[in-house]
Amino acid sequence: VIALVGRPNVGKSTLFNRLTKSRDALVAEIAGLTRDRKYGEGKVGDHPFIVIDTGGISGQEEGIDSAMAGQSFQAIQEADIVFFLVDVGAGITAGDRMIADHLRRNGKAAYLIANKIDGKNPDIVLGEFFELGMGEPLPIAAAHNRGISALIDYVMDELIEEEKVEQEETGYYYEEGEEEVHHEELDIKGIKIAVVGRPNVGKSTLVNRFLGEERVVVYDEAGTTRDSIYIPYERHGQEYTLIDTAGVRRRKNISEAAEKFSIIKTLQAIQDCNVCILVLDARTGIVEQDLHMLSFVLNSGRALVIAINKWDGMDADDKQRVKDEIDRRFDFLTFADMHFISALHGTGVGHLYESVDQAYESAMAKWQTNMLTRILEDAIAAHQPPIIRGRRPKLRYAHQGGSNPPRIIVHGTMVNELPEDYRRYLANTFRRVLNISGTPIRFEFRQGDNPFSEKKKEVRHSSKRRAQAVERTDNKRRIKRDKARKQLKKSYRKPGG
């Protein structure tokens, strides 16, 4: 496990993307862009490793920077080795000295990485960094992918040599096929839960409450979270992956490019998850941006649980006002469970799991075709489709076309002309009989071609051809008859007229 630490804006996230061969970490010319610990996987040959991207440590943290520094120090504790990045252009700063002291006191195996070496003479610019007492600086240019492979090869070779020395000292050798290093895999498993909402509604607080630890930075400031953080964990034998996302503001309020990419990551997380927990702020009530977020979740077809946060401390009148507003504006949202919670104090948070599990089970359920067809027949027997242009549509059978969200395909004649209220009737009937909750249902109607239409067309064409043939025959007979009559009249005509 490798932790990347250093001052703000020295290139930690750029190196993270190089080591993991991804673009998961946000990168911009903004100091302090990374705030939470972000994990990724890399591999060199047969040697896998886990990389932890951290926020910058300056040594003079106040406010939210102090929480960011706490995340970085926790990553150092988790890591086996530390990549301590410095900026050769900026030289040694007080922050660099503070980090070097911390690493020495904790006895962590650390490598001094001199970044942004491109365009500079290493013999000149690297000399001053020996003052930190961290050994020889290893020069790289993460932005241009220079020196990365040599860095990993050098570190891996040293680790392998250390393992061999340890084996000789202890007398224990790994058997053939035995794993030399057991890493916890970062595979995204189980139910993927995305926590989404406006900025500063308590998403990160809820994530930390779920996990029981300060896993992500929480601060009373809008826009604290800037990236989508995937956190796999296990609860009561069930595997989950929590996704903490950045808050989504109205488009007119977005000016920084980094925030635009944060929002793109949030929208991608919604499409990637199984269940969305939409967090609302009970103190501010429901605003238009909440409805926009809800619309995106529903259009993505994801299962939904609504959490009304900051419910503690409100008086009875305010609570009733919020409930009335929810009943009025969410009257169409009959399938989603709503919970009134306090993420800060943990009130009602445990009940969210019940709704999440039920929504996931409904979203991923599988049904047999004969079962769906019987439900369709019973629904038609109870309420037939309306007559359209003198004919009644015929719904023949139904089958499942997909999951997450459940997709039910109905075949028949004139199904494309079914009115919207009858389609809603079918959806509600299927939802009630199949006991589906927490997820929208997608209905698709397919109108089959009339199997007799081609035969009728052939009959029409053949009839037309026969009629044309009869008409040609009649014309020939008529011409022949007229010619015979003329010949007969000519034979009876007397000489001289």
Side-chain angles (χ1 to χ4, degrees):
V1 180
I2 304 171
L4 309 180
V5 300
R7 291 185 297 103
N9 212 27
V10 295
K12 297 181 295 298
S13 295
T14 305
L15 180 57
F16 176 90
N17 288 341
R18 294 296 185 188
L19 294 176
T20 59
K21 298 179 181 178
S22 69
R23 300 180 65 182
D24 290 344
L26 289 178
V27 176
E29 289 293 332
I30 301 173
L33 181 63
T34 303
R35 288 177 172 173
D36 299 294
R37 282 175 287 155
K38 191 172 188 68
Y39 293 74
E41 282 187 320
K43 189 172 184 180
V44 174
D46 296 329
H47 304 287
F49 54 87
I50 295 172
V51 190
I52 312 176
D53 187 21
T54 66
I57 308 172
S58 64
Q60 300 175 348
E61 284 79 16
E62 293 181 357
I64 190 173
D65 293 335
S66 177
M68 291 163 51
Q71 292 283 320
S72 300
F73 289 131
Q74 191 166 347
I76 293 173
Q77 291 299 114
E78 293 179 1
D80 298 315
I81 59 177
V82 176
F83 282 179
F84 173 26
L85 272 75
V86 293
D87 184 348
V88 296
I92 297 178
T93 66
D96 294 328
R97 292 189 175 90
M98 186 273 296
I99 297 172
D101 278 344
H102 180 82
L103 293 174
R104 278 197 299 269
R105 285 197 304 270
N106 284 269
K108 279 289 179 180
Y111 295 87
L112 182 62
I113 313 298
N115 193 23
K116 306 182 182 180
I117 197 68
D118 44 309
K120 301 177 177 64
N121 187 339
D123 296 332
I124 298 176
V125 297
L126 295 182
E128 64 173 314
F129 290 100
F130 285 93
E131 178 187 337
L132 295 173
M134 301 295 296
E136 182 179 355
L138 304 176
I140 66 167
H144 300 95
N145 201 23
R146 287 177 51 197
I148 307 297
S149 298
L151 166 66
I152 293 298
D153 291 340
Y154 173 77
V155 172
M156 287 299 173
D157 289 343
E158 282 206 347
L159 290 176
I160 293 171
E161 287 298 324
E162 289 177 3
E163 286 179 3
K164 290 180 179 178
V165 171
E166 181 182 356
Q167 290 172 2
E168 291 175 357
E169 291 178 352
T170 60
Y172 176 76
Y173 293 88
Y174 294 102
E175 298 293 336
E176 185 176 353
E178 184 179 357
E179 289 287 340
E180 294 190 2
V181 182
H182 298 278
H183 290 292
E184 179 185 356
E185 294 186 357
L186 292 180
D187 294 339
I188 304 304
K189 300 177 180 178
I191 304 174
K192 288 185 284 188
I193 308 170
V195 182
V196 301
R198 291 184 292 116
N200 212 30
V201 295
K203 299 183 296 297
S204 295
T205 306
L206 179 59
V207 168
N208 286 340
R209 178 61 61 179
F210 271 135
L211 300 171
E213 65 168 308
E214 295 298 317
R215 172 61 181 82
V216 291
V217 173
V218 175
Y219 195 69
D220 189 14
E221 174 185 299
T224 300
T225 304
R226 286 173 165 168
D227 208 344
S228 295
I229 309 298
Y230 284 68
I231 310 165
Y233 69 108
E234 185 176 309
R235 178 182 185 268
H236 296 167
Q238 171 65 52
E239 292 179 329
Y240 298 92
T241 296
L242 267 179
I243 311 173
D244 187 21
T245 63
V248 179
R249 298 194 296 167
R250 297 181 66 181
R251 184 177 298 178
K252 70 174 186 178
N253 297 327
I254 302 170
S255 57
E256 293 184 1
E259 186 175 359
K260 294 179 182 178
F261 284 110
S262 298
I263 293 174
I264 290 172
K265 293 261 189 178
T266 297
L267 302 182
Q268 289 174 344
I270 291 174
Q271 294 176 332
D272 185 38
C273 74
N274 301 122
V275 182
C276 270
I277 297 180
L278 177 61
V279 183
L280 308 178
D281 190 340
R283 307 294 173 87
T284 60
I286 300 172
V287 300
E288 291 299 321
Q289 188 60 21
D290 294 327
L291 298 178
H292 290 313
M293 285 294 301
L294 177 62
S295 173
F296 187 84
V297 173
L298 295 179
N299 290 335
S300 300
R302 295 297 168 258
L304 175 67
V305 177
I306 296 179
I308 295 90
N309 192 25
K310 306 182 184 179
W311 194 246
D312 52 312
M314 295 180 65
D315 57 37
D317 292 339
D318 289 337
K319 289 182 177 180
Q320 189 59 45
R321 175 183 55 80
V322 173
K323 289 181 178 179
D324 292 341
E325 187 178 11
I326 289 173
D327 292 340
R328 178 175 61 85
R329 305 192 76 169
F330 288 168
D331 59 340
F332 64 96
L333 208 61
T334 56
F335 64 86
D337 291 340
M338 296 189 187
H339 296 265
F340 299 91
I341 67 168
S342 170
L344 184 62
H345 300 101
T347 308
V349 173
H351 296 295
L352 288 172
Y353 280 105
E354 302 170 7
S355 298
V356 167
D357 292 340
Q358 176 63 34
Y360 177 76
E361 184 178 344
S362 297
M364 305 302 291
K366 307 291 183 184
W367 303 290
Q368 295 181 353
T369 298
N370 59 356
M371 178 183 179
L372 298 178
T373 303
R374 283 200 306 270
I375 297 174
L376 178 65
E377 291 172 350
D378 293 342
I380 295 171
H383 178 37
Q384 289 193 350
I387 296 175
I388 302 171
R389 298 198 309 273
R391 297 175 60 192
R392 193 183 300 277
K394 294 182 180 180
L395 309 181
R396 303 189 183 281
Y397 68 97
H399 66 90
Q400 187 172 0
S403 301
N404 195 30
R407 193 161 61 97
I408 297 175
I409 301 174
V410 178
H411 294 260
T413 59
M414 297 182 66
V415 292
N416 293 333
E417 302 179 37
L418 284 172
E420 190 61 32
D421 56 351
Y422 194 80
R423 297 184 181 213
R424 284 198 301 270
Y425 160 73
L426 290 178
N428 292 333
T429 301
F430 274 85
R431 182 182 296 280
R432 184 183 68 255
V433 175
L434 297 173
N435 193 25
I436 299 174
S437 67
T439 180
I441 303 178
R442 296 278 175 85
F443 266 82
E444 185 177 329
F445 295 87
R446 292 185 183 177
Q447 182 168 316
D449 295 332
N450 189 344
F452 300 102
S453 60
E454 291 297 327
K455 293 184 179 179
K456 290 180 179 178
K457 192 181 296 183
E458 283 294 327
V459 170
R460 287 197 300 270
H461 287 321
S462 60
S463 299
K464 186 176 180 180
R465 287 195 296 269
R466 281 198 300 271
Q468 290 173 347
V470 170
E471 185 178 359
R472 285 196 299 271
T473 303
D474 290 343
N475 288 337
K476 288 179 180 179
R477 288 176 179 173
R478 188 172 58 253
I479 292 170
K480 189 175 181 180
R481 188 170 56 249
D482 292 344
K483 188 176 181 180
R485 285 176 180 173
K486 288 180 181 179
Q487 290 292 337
L488 186 61
K489 287 181 180 179
K490 190 174 180 181
S491 63
Y492 280 104
R493 188 177 299 168
K494 293 180 181 180

